[in-house]
Every structure is written in structure tokens, then in C-alpha cells.
Amino acid sequence: WDDIFVLVREQAVTGICYPPLEQLPESMRPPRALFLCWFGQVEYIKRKNIRMRETLLELNERFEKRGFYPVLLKGLSSGAWYTEPKLRMTGDIDLYIPERYKEAVALVESWGYEVTYMPQHDKFQYNGIWVELHHSIITPEYLADVPERTAYVMDDESRYRVPCEETNLLLLLTHAAKHLMSYGVGFRHLCDYMLFLHYNHTELDHALVSRLIKKVGISRFVVEFTALAIDYLDLDPKPDIVDLWLGNAKAKYENMLLEDMLENRDCGKQMLAKRERACSIPGAWGWGCYYSAYFFRLAKLYPLWPSFVRKILFRRTLDRLKFILKGNPFSPG
């Protein structure tokens, strides 16, 4: 039970793995101390979800009063596909601003919040929660033909906008691929993808999905990621989704992807921990070891590299080399 508890925390699925424990006979449950600890973490996840949903509704209302209509992206919106949405681990709130983006950022600053600029989005803290404002519904931005239709979702009396099914699917896949190529992707992202397919596969325009997947260059990643969902999360691929999108492609690197997910944990926490340790070592030895491990991992994962990630990594590598040459090996991004 100790090993299982460590694993679910590492993969950020502590909440969604809890309900089955309550269905077990008392004699088969985890030891009382661990069970109570698990319960306490689940209650924290629930409270944070409630607070984030309240914040989302408040922000939506404030934006709408000024003529802005944000679209909720990724994390928080994925909870709608879970049996108990409040049990999904949350991070921050991602909002896409379809029109007048700069005016929306200026509006947030007029409310008295400090906005931090980042290349793909701007972020600020609202009620103690990080909110990211996105000027593009999906990156890379050359996917200009991604549908920008939106839909309303009702979730525990919360009403908010999300992207249409095809765009939402591509967002889930490209987001997971970027996480894998930066530090790591975890089972939380795989659960989101699996549940989205379970509830939305009949609504998808599969011809459009196939074209977008090939255009962004994530065909191999999709094959391996879907294979994990089928083999480890019991996704029932009826009709066979990968065949619809990519023909008769077969998984080749599923075990390599699984090993990396288990080793580096949700959002690459293991790689990030290595970076923190490297920062604490004076001189060049620490960050030299870190970057050796970082690039070795990327080289090993080369078969899964999406084409858009190659461009991102090339740009980031150049940026980090500039920082290294200036004596500061760890760039803010």
C-alpha cells in the first residue's frame, strides 16, 4: 500500500484513485494511518477544485461585463469527463482570449494585478490561484485552421466555455507531447485523454483530426500514447481510433514511453528535482551533469519527437546556451 500511495502521488492521480478504496471491505483497506492520510489529501484536492471553480466563475463574470468571452483550456475543463470532477488534481486556470487580447491583459492590470509576460501566455495571481491568459487557442500557432468553435459545459452548476471536440483533442495531445519533450508527462494527462475519447469519440470529425495530427507531426506520439490508454487504462477503441486517424500504424515505443512516465512522474517532477539539485552545486559541475542527463533523455526519446517540438527545442536550446555563456545556466523558462 505504501508503494501504491507513492505511485499515485507521483502521477497526480491521488484523488481519482481514492473512491475504489472506500468500496473495499475494511479488512482489505490500507493501514488506518495511510488511509487517513490519503483521505486528507483527497479533501484538499476537492477544496482546491471548489475554489478554482468559484474563481473561474468570478473571472468569467468580470470579463463578460467588459465584452470579453474567455474559453477554458486544458486542466480544469478536463474534470468534466470524470465521474467525480472534483477529484482530478488541478494546477492553474488556462483561459484563451479570442479577441482583443492586449485589451484583456490591460483590463487585468487595471484591476490591480501584476501580469507576468511569457512567450506563449501572460499570467497573474487571482485569489491565490495562478491564471494564464493565452493569445492562441493552441500552439504551434501555424495551425491556423484549427476550429475555434466553442461549447458551453455545465459542471456542478458551473457554466463555462470549452473548445470544440476536435480542437480540444488536439490541445490535449500537443500539450502532453510538449510536457514529454520538456521534462515529462504523467498518467494524469493520459487519464484526461482516455476519458475524453471515451465520451467524445462519436462526436469527432475523424477526417479533420487525422489531417491535423499529421500536419502538426504527432502521429508517432499519438500511436504510443493511445496504446498506453488501451493496454493500461482499458480504453475500448471502438471503432479503432488510431486506424481511423493514422491507418494501420502499430505501437513500437510504448514501453519506452511508459518507463519515462514512471521515472519522471507527472509534469516531469523528477527532472525538475534534478535541476534544483544541480542549482545547489557551485560551479559548472552541477548544471553540466544536469544538462547531460537532460539531453541524453531527449536523445533517447527521439522517435517520439513531434515536428513542432523539434522547433521549440531548437529555439530553447539556443536560448539556454546563451544563458550558459553568460554564466547563468538556468533560464527562467
Side-chain angles (χ1 to χ4, degrees), residues 35-94:
F35 189 73
L36 290 175
C37 181
W38 201 324
F39 172 79
Q41 293 200 18
V42 170
E43 288 302 305
Y44 170 79
I45 293 169
K46 285 181 179 178
R47 288 197 300 272
K48 186 177 180 183
N49 264 292
I50 292 170
R51 191 158 60 92
M52 290 186 71
R53 280 165 169 73
E54 291 172 347
T55 300
L56 171 64
L57 293 180
E58 186 177 326
L59 275 172
N60 263 340
E61 185 178 351
R62 295 187 72 172
F63 274 122
E64 288 177 2
K65 283 181 179 178
R66 300 298 295 270
F68 298 95
Y69 300 94
V71 180
L72 182 64
L73 305 178
K74 299 184 294 189
L76 193 59
S77 66
S78 299
W81 308 314
Y82 288 79
T83 305
E84 298 184 52
K86 292 188 181 70
L87 294 183
R88 183 193 179 276
M89 184 77 77
T90 56
D92 47 28
I93 296 175
D94 294 88

Side-chain angles (χ1 to χ4, degrees), residues 100-256:
R100 299 155 48 214
Y101 178 80
K102 291 183 179 179
E103 293 181 37
V105 174
L107 176 63
V108 171
E109 291 176 326
S110 72
W111 294 340
Y113 296 99
E114 180 181 352
V115 179
T116 303
Y117 169 79
M118 301 185 76
Q120 295 182 10
H121 55 256
D122 298 292
K123 66 178 185 178
F124 63 100
Q125 269 199 322
Y126 190 92
N127 294 343
I129 293 171
W130 281 107
V131 180
E132 294 183 355
L133 298 181
H134 294 257
H135 48 75
S136 174
I137 197 168
I138 194 169
T139 53
E141 294 181 7
Y142 64 75
L143 282 173
D145 55 351
V146 170
E148 292 207 5
R149 301 189 310 276
T150 58
Y152 277 101
V153 172
M154 291 293 294
D155 177 18
D156 292 344
E157 300 181 357
S158 301
R159 188 169 184 259
Y160 51 86
R161 300 171 200 83
V162 297
C164 67
E165 288 85 357
E166 293 79 16
T167 302
N168 220 335
L169 173 65
L170 199 67
L171 183 60
L172 286 172
L173 287 170
T174 54
H175 182 63
K178 281 188 285 187
H179 268 290
L180 176 68
M181 293 299 106
S182 55
Y183 296 110
V185 66
F187 268 81
R188 172 173 54 161
H189 297 91
L190 188 62
C191 289
D192 291 348
Y193 171 58
M194 187 273 290
L195 285 171
F196 176 87
L197 286 182
H198 179 74
Y199 287 107
N200 296 282
H201 75 273
T202 58
E203 308 298 324
L204 290 167
D205 180 342
H206 291 285
L208 175 59
V209 170
S210 175
R211 181 170 60 81
L212 292 174
I213 286 174
K214 291 173 182 176
K215 181 176 181 180
V216 77
I218 55 173
S219 300
R220 175 50 54 187
F221 174 77
V222 170
V223 170
E224 310 301 336
F225 208 51
T226 308
L228 286 180
I230 293 169
D231 293 340
Y232 292 93
L233 297 183
D234 211 21
L235 172 67
D236 186 5
K238 290 182 180 179
D240 193 311
I241 293 166
V242 174
D243 282 354
L244 276 175
W245 298 339
L246 303 169
N248 296 317
K250 304 298 180 185
K252 298 178 181 178
Y253 307 102
E254 180 183 1
N255 290 337
M256 180 176 70

